[in-house]
Amino acid sequence: MRSAELKFRIPKSEFRNSKGMTLIELLAALVIIGILSAIVISRLDLAFTSSRASVDGAAYMIASDIRYAQEFAMANRVSKSVVFNSGSSVYTFNPTSNLDSSGQLPSGVTISGNFTVTFNSLGEPTAGGGGSVTVSGGGLSRTISVVNYTGKVNVS
């Protein structure tokens, strides 16, 4: 009976390989998973980052143009306004001059709410002080506010 038992016996070397993965195989699998996840995450993050950059850029551009209107009013001893219309991606200056920028927001970013801020020759907001305008795009939004009396511009 001993010879019959030997025929059905599995050698120990085959047993050893079927127990599981070796350390090298495990590390190779982890490296492959890491590379694939880095590619997928970078693709997802790129879309979010570009939306954030567009909205942040638009907010800081508007803040800069509001400051420009304030400085223009003080330098030329006139009233100067910046006019924002809800749903638009363009804002205007009133009265217009050769020095005014275009007021064009990046693609996909729009203005929420109607808002006009007017500065007098002393740089004080005579209209719109204490108010704000919001820009949004890609599920993100930023609010640009003008402090009453001083005309200080904040982005939040």
Side-chain angles (χ1 to χ4, degrees), residues 43-119:
R43 300 279 181 185
L44 295 175
D45 193 38
L46 182 63
F48 180 72
T49 303
S50 65
S51 294
R52 177 183 289 178
S54 294
V55 172
D56 284 347
Y60 287 108
M61 182 174 73
I62 288 173
S64 177
D65 283 345
I66 291 173
R67 290 183 193 108
Y68 156 76
Q70 183 182 32
E71 291 174 12
F72 185 93
M74 292 187 299
N76 295 299
R77 300 190 183 273
V78 295
S79 290
K80 184 78 167 178
S81 300
V82 186
V83 180
F84 301 94
N85 294 314
S86 184
S88 176
S89 62
V90 177
Y91 53 95
T92 59
F93 296 92
N94 190 17
T96 59
S97 77
N98 298 352
L99 301 175
D100 295 344
S101 61
S102 65
Q104 177 68 46
L105 299 180
S107 176
V109 179
T110 57
I111 297 166
S112 302
N114 295 320
F115 177 66
T116 300
V117 60
T118 304
F119 295 98

Side-chain angles (χ1 to χ4, degrees), residues 17-39:
N17 288 339
S18 65
K19 284 186 177 182
M21 296 174 62
T22 64
L23 181 60
I24 293 177
E25 291 171 331
L26 180 64
L27 290 176
L30 288 175
V31 167
I32 291 170
I33 291 171
I35 291 170
L36 292 175
S37 64
I39 291 170

Side-chain angles (χ1 to χ4, degrees), residues 10-18:
I10 299 172
K12 288 186 179 183
S13 62
E14 289 181 31
F15 242 158
R16 197 175 325 139
N17 288 339
S18 65

